[in-house]
Amino acid sequence: EVIKNRNAVLSEVSARLVEAANERQVGRVLEVISEHKKNDHGGFWGISDNYIKTNLPGHTDWGKDVVSVRITSANDDYVDGDVISPQR
């Protein structure tokens, strides 16, 4: 029981820290490696240079390329962004 309670508390703290870190990225421009992995939010996933999961809007054909992304909003476990320019 004690172990389960501690695990629940640590999971909650971890989730809050991730969300706070994501919120600090809003307005910044990040370099993101795009993937051909479609998500449930109408876009594709990417991973930023500081390992933040990023939702890229619409169709991308930049699979495995680095793109500049302006972060527009933060969510629990990922950020949303607009692609500024592919870095090809």
Side-chain angles (χ1 to χ4, degrees), residues 27 31-32 43 47 66 76 79 83 85-86:
E31 301 301 308
V32 175
I47 299 294
V66 176
D76 292 342
V79 295
V83 175
S85 66

Side-chain angles (χ1 to χ4, degrees), residues 30-36 45-49 52 54 56 62-69:
L30 302 178
E31 301 301 308
V32 175
I33 298 174
S34 62
E35 302 175 352
H36 279 300
W45 288 124
I47 299 294
S48 73
D49 54 355
I52 294 178
T54 306
L56 303 173
W62 312 299
K64 306 294 184 215
D65 284 343
V66 176
V67 294
S68 294
V69 177

Side-chain angles (χ1 to χ4, degrees), residues 1-8:
E1 176 96 14
V2 172
I3 292 173
K4 286 183 183 179
N5 288 339
R6 286 182 183 171
N7 186 29

Side-chain angles (χ1 to χ4, degrees), residues 16-30 50 52 71 73-75 79:
R16 279 188 276 161
L17 289 172
V18 168
E19 187 174 0
N22 288 347
E23 287 173 0
R24 287 193 300 270
Q25 304 308 312
V26 174
R28 293 185 62 202
V29 175
L30 302 178
N50 54 353
I52 294 178
I71 304 305
S73 64
N75 301 284
V79 295

